[in-house]
Each structure stands twice: as structure tokens, then as C-alpha cells.
Amino acid sequence: MDEVIWNAARAARAWLDDTNGTDQTELTCRILKLSEEVGEAAGAWIGVLGQNPRKGVTHSRAEVAAELADVVFTALVAIESLGLDARSVVTACAAKVESRITP
């Protein structure tokens, strides 16, 4: 990932720390924020499918991708908020996945 992403995740964490504090309730909210973002991605996909007959098709795949990017970024901020380096955690996760799929 580009350095801009990692720097932005750390900056977002610092901004939230300064604005909202760092107690357990705040950390809980940052983790729960992932559920909100996932819900928005799911809603966008429902909109792509036109699954709600009252609304019809309301979203594009690009909008779904943007919502999924929000999920990813929110996760990076949550990892940083746990006091861990998001880059290291994501790299370890990618290596784990790669080891499962590489013959």
C-alpha cells in the first residue's frame, strides 16, 4: 500500500485521540464503527442489485467499492487505535493468506 494510506491512518487515529480521547469506550466505538461501514457497503450492494423494489437500482459498483474502501480504512484506524502498527498487522495477515493459497 502507498505510504499515504499508512500516514493517513495514523493521522486519523491522532485526530480522534485528540478530539475524543483514548478510553475503552472510545476504542469500542472505533471498532463498532466497522459495523456501520460494513452496513453501508451492504446497503450499496443491495442498491446495485435493485433488491429493494420500492427503490430499484440506486448504486453503482464504484460506489460499493468506495464503501468497501471506507471499511478498510476504518479497520486500519482501529488497528492503530489498539496501539499496533497497521502496516505490520496487515502485512502479517497477507502473508498468512498467501501461505494458504500458494502451493
Side-chain angles (χ1 to χ4, degrees):
M1 282 192 210
D2 190 271
E3 197 64 33
V4 171
I5 296 167
W6 306 114
N7 291 339
R10 283 189 289 278
R13 181 229 172 150
W15 175 70
L16 288 169
D17 288 354
D18 290 344
T19 304
N20 296 343
T22 59
D23 65 10
Q24 292 300 305
T25 300
E26 175 61 20
L27 180 56
T28 299
C29 288
R30 292 182 200 184
I31 293 169
L32 290 175
K33 179 74 172 157
L34 278 163
S35 297
E36 178 187 357
E37 297 296 344
V38 168
E40 291 174 10
W45 184 246
I46 288 168
V48 166
L49 298 177
Q51 191 64 28
N52 183 333
R54 184 175 56 79
K55 295 181 180 179
V57 174
T58 58
H59 289 77
S60 67
R61 286 177 177 250
E63 290 170 311
V64 174
E67 295 295 348
L68 291 170
D70 285 346
V71 173
V72 170
F73 192 79
T74 300
L76 295 177
V77 173
I79 292 167
E80 289 284 334
S81 296
L82 290 168
L84 301 168
D85 177 63
R87 181 196 309 251
S88 298
V89 173
V90 173
T91 299
C93 179
K96 177 181 68 176
V97 170
E98 188 173 46
S99 74
R100 292 179 184 159
I101 61 175
T102 303

